[in-house]
Amino acid sequence: MSTKHDQSLPITGMHCASCASTIQRTLSKMPGVEKCQVNFGTEKATISFDPDQTTVAAMNHELSKLGYTLLDDSQPMEPNQGHQQHAGHDMDRSPHAGHDLMTPLTSDQAVKVRKLQELAKLKRQVQILIPFMAISVFVMTWEIGAEPLGLWPEMPDIMMVFFHHLLPILATYTMFVIGVPYLLGIWRFIKYRAANMDSLVGIGTLTAFLYSFILSAFENALAPYMNTEQTYYDVTIVVIGFITLGKFLESRSKLRTGEAIEKLLGLQAKRAIVLRDGKEVEVAAEEVKVGDIVIVKPGQKVPVDGEIIKGASSLDESMVTGESLPVDKKVGDQVIGATLNKQGAFQFKATQVGSETMLSQIIKMVETAQGSKAPIEKLADQISAVFVPVVMVLAVVVLAFWILVGSQFMPISQALTLGVVSFVGILVIACPCAMGLATPTAVIVGVGKAAQHGILIKNAEQLERLSGVDYMVLDKTGTVTKGQPAVTDIVPAGQLTETQLLRTLAALERHSEHPLAQAVVEKAETEQLRLPTVSKFSIIEGQGLTGWINHEQIWAGNPRLAKSLGHQFEEAVIREFAESGKTPVLVMNKKQVLGYVAIADTVKDEAKETIATLHRLGLKVALLTGDQTATARSIANQVGIDQVLAEVLPGDKAAEVQKLQAAGYKVAMVGDGINDAPALATAEVGIAMGTGTDVAIESAGVTLLGGQLAKLPTAVRLARATMRTIKQNLFWAFFYNVVSIPVAAGALYPIWGILLNPAIAGAAMGFSSVSVVLNALRLKKANIER
């Protein structure tokens, strides 16, 4: 029986959104490929295929014809291929300079190296082209300023002759040396009928070059019929120059969009000290096995996930959870790989290693999210898929229109010149890249920034949904409250003081396994109380417990136990506790009630401020719990929550979410990610409160690491900022193409005599993509904390 294989592979050779559409279309048609999604922003293909029917090698066989390659870890790039960087380019230095030169690079490392090599190559080309462009712009400016503007006299004949011979030489080098990718684009278009941005630029610039070459080569023969002085060598130079400069700036900017993943990878510890045969041995972190005893000394990073078995320390977990304060750890506590040991030495048993560690899961999730597509992107993808063929047809139609119709109103030579200029202008200015980059670049930056704040977003769709949420439903236990009972009130009723009452109750509770008993004992330990000895301890089922302390029998339990003993108690105190959501414990001797102790699950310190912030963001907030209504209302009142949905069984929580959705709200459900699974799945966005290494990464669309409720408004702000950036990018990308293509076609010429110079079109096209990437990078500096 065949099995489906899912793989995410880097792609080389992609230069525009149309490339992504071509690759996706080609792979999807292959037998054995069930699903394929190509992301231009991350330059990766996510492929679901049957390995019995096809392989990555077979896919590459088809893609290589079109100039693309899938990089597979099973065929890693040799190290010497990636380390021959161009001398003198500090900005292009490989981040893998410290990589073992004898170790083959993984596909991701190979992609990084290739990108840096491509960047170095583009930089050299730009350095060559800038003088060429300066000369061309100088000539163009002089000609336009002299005639028709009349700002200065015409160029002297000797200069005119010099540039008349120089520009063809510069254009030839530009077209046939630096412009090779565009010529290959034309060849692939002719041979395989696969067009992309390179095809457009190649056809446009080659047309301008050949038109100019024909005028130069047959200058004398054509002079009676055409203006042979009006050549477009400068257009070839400036268009290729500006597009190369645009590619260089875009490539450099896109490298910065993926910095979040690199920072996460950089967190990993490189070495580990393990106990082998009773001796301390230093090994590579990847060599640590499950069950190994690992030693961590002050100032060292924890290499893998595990459980402390000896010692105690304070760990900085900010790099993983976003929590700024160090966290105290003791025997039995979980430690997370990549966190920093601040003080104290300890030993722990490795429980998760390699790809199973929390950091590895985070990196995998962030990479998956960055490569995913948001629903808003579908329109841009659909347009990009047909964009290049439509532009080619439009360019030919406009050229034919100028020659056939324009020649009826002007000399054929002028109509032909205007037709060629419009033809080249349309091909050059049309830019599918800006549309293709609009969403993925913003998603990459947004998801990466979220991860740095301890917020994991599963995919771009969840990001888009979170931005539109207007109702936040919070589970009570572990979300709004700490999930750990604590002593809140101590009210003496007899001769005992608060301390004596707590000491007496804690002595009894120390022998109980009830969850509330632990809260009392912890309170006594916090206050460093010495507890008396208890004898003849016993549990009274459903009511409490009893034992002998200092030759006196003591009881502790609920009001029913007090009634069974025939004791009177203050019902007002019990009622007050109940209304506040607190559980009363009565401490009694044979004669009377000695006092009352209240135990409750206390609200998180940040809960009230978080709810207030959510309200300022325009969200309604509801508390969803299975607890009694009085308890739930008490918690809600403490933190300022709008609505209480209490006494709801776990299986009915999803129905409560559906009721809010039926009322027209877009709901986000915040819970522990396991018990609230149906409600998390039902809501537009499920948000899990991830704590420790047991973070429920797969159970929700968004996970708040460390279980910090304060990250909730941050996640909402980030989602809104990311969607705002995506909409800005899409608007300008569409606006640019809708306005620029008609202008390039000559739509303004009959009215105002304005015709777009193809050189200006090339500059506009080059910088349209750069502007989209730079706008996405603004997200990095966005203040999402408040």
Side-chain angles (χ1 to χ4, degrees), residues 473 624 643 645 648-663 667 669 676-683:
V473 177
L624 182 61
Q643 185 176 354
L645 306 170
V648 180
L649 296 174
D652 296 331
K653 288 185 177 181
E656 293 295 335
V657 170
Q658 288 173 334
K659 287 178 185 177
L660 291 173
Q661 290 171 326
V667 182
M669 172 69 196
D676 303 304
L680 289 168
T682 303

Side-chain angles (χ1 to χ4, degrees), residues 363-407:
I363 291 170
K364 182 181 178 183
M365 186 174 179
V366 172
E367 284 181 329
T368 302
Q370 289 184 337
S372 64
K373 292 191 176 184
I376 197 172
E377 197 173 353
K378 288 179 181 175
L379 178 61
D381 282 349
Q382 290 168 352
I383 293 175
S384 296
V386 298
F387 189 85
V388 171
V390 167
V391 167
M392 285 186 168
V393 170
L394 180 63
V396 172
V397 168
V398 169
L399 174 62
F401 179 85
W402 275 111
I403 293 173
L404 297 176
V405 179
S407 60

